[in-house]
Amino acid sequence: MENVHWIGQSKEAPPERSSMAAFGSVAVVPFQHKKLSSVNYSCRYFYANGWKKKKKLCFQRKRWIVSSTCPPEETSPISVSFTSAPVPHLSHFLTDLDTFPHPFLLQDATSYRPLNLNFISEQDGVINKVVWNKQEPQNLVIYPRAGPRERIVFDPKSVKAAIVTCGGLCPGLNTVIRELTECLRYQYGVVDIFGVLQGYRGFYSKEWIRLDPERVDAIHKLGGTILGSSRGGFDLNKIVDAIVQRGIHQVYVIGGDGTIRGAAQLSEECRRRKLRVTVASIPKTIDNDIPIIDKSFGFDTAVQEASKAIDAAHTEVSCFPNGIGIVKLMGRNSGFIALYASLSSREVDCCLIPEVPFVIHGRGGLMEYVAKCLSERGKMVLVVAEGAGQEYVGNDPSVEQLDASGNKKLGDIGHFLYEEIESTWKKQGMEVSMKYIDPTYMIRAVASNASDNIYCTLLAHSAVHGAFAGYTGFTVGPIHGRHAYIPMTEIVTAQKQVDLRDRMWSRLVNSTGQPDFSPRNIPKGFQGPCNIYSSPQQSQSQESIL
Ligand SMILES: Nc1ncnc2c1ncn2[C@@H]1O[C@H](COP(=O)(O)OP(=O)(O)O)[C@@H](O)[C@H]1O
Ligand SMILES: O=P(O)(O)OC[C@H]1O[C@](O)(COP(=O)(O)O)[C@@H](O)[C@@H]1O
Ligand SMILES: [Mg+2]
């Protein structure tokens, strides 16, 4: 109460500031509210730097008072604590770590000048949070800011670096390979750069290839990875033995969550053996399910390509009677591609993602909504992420099927929905024109677009700077737009998923107009089938059809 100087309707002009003190802690309330015991009253508090609004008032001891405490003064201290992210560093286990000046400092070339003014200090950090509630205590994590350091822990002339790509394809892999090579050669002068072929297994079972700027010059225009990739084949000891045998100092691993789990073990094993070897990862996954970083490379390109598939589906369904187009997009556990591509296209009527369970038949279910779309618009575009609705198509959980990397194999929800929708309407004697598009490999295999190319460049350069700075067991990526070094162990603890409380999901639902199909939203007693085309009386007799 002490902070309340004046309360009135928000429409009323506040009194002159000089007259406020006279009101002290008394709440001045318009007469009509006195009959109520409590009211959400739009009142405003005056602070030195402006007006803030809204508190609840209640009637106590013959007087209206503010029932909750006033917000703190703008000037009052916000409780904030900081923790530094524990990014492993060679100095943590090597006592005799020499340092060298960054090659920029030794060059006179004009082209280095803008860069050598931009060294990053070890005191520079990137904070994990930019949106705060000022009244809540904040526990913030500071990650080392990515970029070149004035002192580096390797003599660049003697460095041997190895680059490997693992897991599924993703637009931008070649750009990252190119930019790692270019940065190593042109910003540090590294000559011995090797490409490990076909993923982790290539460390111990394949010949390596030499990489240099000429070899990688035009590869960013190509999809896939010039090094090849694979799933499985991670053998910790054999890989570290190969690294030792070839005298490698820097290992650059381009891969997703599985790859980074492996890379974290590599880095730990190098630490255990006290090797002067850094392991850096550049996070890759088309599914965009890597936590902490803003997004993974290739995601923009994937959304752009996925939108083309949606456009095609829309064109098809617009030209045929009762056209229903199903587009199946990637996303094992996270529906980001489906969400963003649907939002960008604006022609999608329904988007199903792994994060949201859905009921197919019965009141409030998917089939009822399909009927609504057909009757109102004569067409429907449905986008489904591959990991959605696995309860309908999942393999027998007692004999879970895994791929070579240990990822769960998914049932085919796209074809299941195709058949389910088609047979439902056939039973009704209705003509529908079903169209099915699965652009998965077309999306994954393309070269990265312009914005991903720039993003890949930044990631690759950041990784090289981090390795020369002595960090190991780290991933690079932007946190709220600023590139940082993140411990691999933090990256692999969780998978990023679409946050259903986030406004991006609301935007999607607003754009498609789809209802909430989740089982909890279906009224009790309506779990069974119903006839979606008939009046309630008719539906009784035809319930068994759907
Ligand atoms: N938990 C793990 N520990 C060590 N290596 C792993 C682990 N999970 C996956 N890998 C290896 O990482 C590589 C890529 O993993 P995968 O899951 O296929 O792709 P991604 O890295 O894109 O998620 C494979 O060679 C696989 O054997
Ligand atoms: O056919 P593959 O190579 O098993 O890949 C299919 C999977 O790869 C993905 O593109 C993801 O791959 P990663 O886990 O390697 O990032 C998924 O979207 C898809 O389920
Ligand atoms: Mg993965």
Side-chain angles (χ1 to χ4, degrees):
M1 284 298 290
E2 312 77 58
N3 290 334
V4 178
H5 298 301
W6 173 85
I7 296 175
Q9 279 183 319
S10 51
K11 278 182 254 149
E12 289 176 45
E16 284 301 310
R17 202 181 161 206
S18 55
S19 65
M20 279 178 205
F23 286 93
S25 63
V26 179
V28 178
V29 179
F31 177 74
Q32 65 267 27
H33 288 316
K34 286 191 177 166
K35 290 187 183 143
L36 304 169
S37 61
S38 164
V39 60
N40 270 320
Y41 187 70
S42 184
C43 63
R44 301 196 286 175
Y45 303 94
F46 185 82
Y47 295 126
N49 55 357
W51 290 91
K52 300 281 161 202
K53 55 183 173 205
K54 222 157 199 196
K55 277 287 147 176
K56 193 175 186 186
L57 301 181
C58 54
F59 198 58
Q60 273 180 19
R61 282 181 277 151
K62 299 182 185 173
R63 184 193 264 183
W64 283 95
I65 60 160
V66 178
S67 63
S68 48
T69 54
C70 295
E73 290 266 9
E74 296 282 301
T75 49
S76 64
I78 300 165
S79 160
V80 182
S81 62
F82 296 94
T83 320
S84 288
V87 187
H89 193 275
L90 293 183
S91 62
H92 296 169
F93 58 93
L94 296 177
T95 44
D96 56 343
L97 200 60
D98 305 331
T99 65
F100 306 83
H102 193 288
F104 292 162
L105 295 168
L106 308 175
Q107 318 272 344
D108 257 350
T110 331
S111 58
Y112 288 100
R113 210 163 286 150
L115 292 167
N116 64 20
L117 295 177
N118 278 304
F119 286 117
I120 301 296
S121 142
E122 286 312 331
Q123 306 311 315
D124 291 338
V126 177
I127 298 183
N128 65 335
K129 212 170 169 191
V130 293
V131 179
W132 300 2
N133 180 321
K134 286 187 290 178
Q135 286 179 294
E136 283 171 11
Q138 303 292 329
N139 302 311
L140 304 175
V141 182
I142 308 182
Y143 295 91
R145 186 174 169 202
R149 276 33 182 186
E150 250 182 293
R151 304 284 310 170
I152 55 179
V153 304
F154 294 102
D155 176 5
K157 288 187 296 298
S158 64
V159 162
K160 288 186 178 180
I163 302 172
V164 65
T165 49
C166 310
L169 294 186
C170 178
L173 284 166
N174 279 331
T175 313
V176 176
I177 296 169
R178 181 186 195 277
E179 292 306 319
L180 287 170
T181 309
E182 295 264 324
C183 185
L184 283 163
R185 173 62 69 84
Y186 290 134
Q187 295 191 32
Y188 288 88
V190 177
V191 176
D192 290 321
I193 309 167
F194 298 94
V196 177
L197 301 178
Q198 235 95 69
Y200 277 134
R201 70 186 59 181
F203 272 98
Y204 54 84
S205 67
K206 303 257 176 211
E207 276 307 306
W208 299 9
I209 60 168
R210 271 194 175 270
L211 296 174
D212 55 41
E214 293 72 42
R215 174 72 187 83
V216 300
D217 187 36
I219 63 171
H220 59 301
K221 305 281 180 194
L222 305 172
T225 155
I226 59 158
L227 299 178
S229 189
S230 65
R231 299 202 189 271
F234 181 84
D235 187 321
L236 180 61
N237 282 318
K238 281 189 185 172
I239 295 172
V240 179
D241 288 349
I243 290 170
V244 173
Q245 209 180 345
R246 294 189 186 241
I248 298 297
H249 306 96
Q250 299 181 355
V251 181
Y252 295 95
V253 181
I254 312 169
D257 56 339
T259 307
I260 300 174
R261 275 193 192 93
Q265 293 177 37
L266 286 184
S267 147
E268 191 44 45
E269 180 61 16
C270 291
R271 177 196 178 107
R272 200 186 62 75
R273 296 193 196 184
K274 293 206 174 354
L275 303 176
R276 197 183 174 104
V277 174
T278 62
V279 182
S281 80
I282 297 94
K284 168 242 60 159
T285 168
I286 204 155
D287 293 354
N288 195 33
D289 55 9
I290 307 261
I292 306 177
I293 63 169
D294 296 347
K295 66 176 174 186
S296 43
F297 74 80
F299 177 66
D300 267 4
T301 309
V303 170
Q304 194 174 311
E305 293 301 308
S307 304
K308 292 181 192 166
I310 295 173
D311 289 347
H314 184 249
T315 304
E316 287 284 339
V317 300
S318 304
C319 298
F320 291 89
N322 288 327
I324 302 176
I326 298 179
V327 181
K328 185 177 138 191
L329 297 175
M330 288 147 293
R332 282 189 223 262
N333 302 306
S334 312
F336 288 104
I337 297 182
L339 163 60
Y340 278 72
S342 300
L343 201 48
S344 112
S345 124
R346 303 276 165 180
E347 283 159 348
V348 173
D349 300 292
C350 180
C351 173
L352 302 172
I353 59 172
E355 292 84 342
V356 186
F358 59 93
V359 165
I360 297 179
H361 294 285
R363 178 81 53 92
L366 174 66
M367 223 52 94
E368 189 180 72
Y369 181 61
V370 175
K372 183 171 180 277
C373 291
L374 292 185
S375 68
E376 287 177 3
R377 293 190 281 284
K379 61 184 177 185
M380 179 187 199
V381 175
L382 189 157
V383 168
V384 59
E386 62 181 336
Q390 285 301 301
E391 62 276 26
Y392 297 114
V393 289
N395 299 311
D396 181 354
S398 59
V399 276
E400 197 166 70
Q401 293 179 30
L402 305 175
D403 71 11
S405 292
N407 299 304
K408 200 173 140 192
K409 283 194 179 168
L410 298 176
D412 190 344
I413 186 66
H415 275 113
F416 170 81
L417 287 177
Y418 180 99
E419 279 160 21
E420 197 72 7
I421 293 174
E422 186 179 50
S423 69
T424 299
W425 262 263
K426 258 195 188 150
K427 280 186 210 155
Q428 299 270 349
M430 245 188 86
E431 184 193 359
V432 285
S433 311
M434 299 294 298
K435 311 285 170 184
Y436 185 73
I437 301 179
D438 180 350
T440 301
Y441 296 112
M442 293 183 71
I443 290 174
R444 268 192 4 181
V446 299
S448 44
N449 68 11
S451 88
D452 267 326
N453 264 337
I454 295 171
Y455 182 30
C456 290
T457 303
L458 263 64
L459 288 170
H461 292 194
S462 295
V464 174
H465 296 317
F468 270 100
Y471 288 112
T472 184
F474 73 97
T475 292
V476 289
I479 303 175
H480 308 296
R482 307 317 294 254
H483 283 242
Y485 299 134
I486 306 160
M488 286 178 189
T489 44
E490 282 190 26
I491 292 281
V492 297
T493 48
Q495 242 175 351
K496 185 163 76 180
Q497 286 198 301
V498 173
D499 182 352
L500 303 179
R501 296 156 308 172
D502 185 76
R503 275 181 293 164
M504 199 51 95
W505 179 247
S506 328
R507 285 183 192 111
L508 180 274
V509 173
N510 281 328
S511 146
T512 59
Q514 70 194 68
D516 181 356
F517 304 117
S518 57
R520 68 182 145 68
N521 205 38
I522 308 296
K524 278 211 173 80
F526 285 109
Q527 300 288 344
C530 72
N531 188 316
I532 50 193
Y533 267 115
S534 42
S535 63
Q537 294 94 314
Q538 284 172 307
S539 72
Q540 292 295 319
S541 57
Q542 296 183 358
E543 273 194 343
S544 57
I545 295 176
L546 296 186

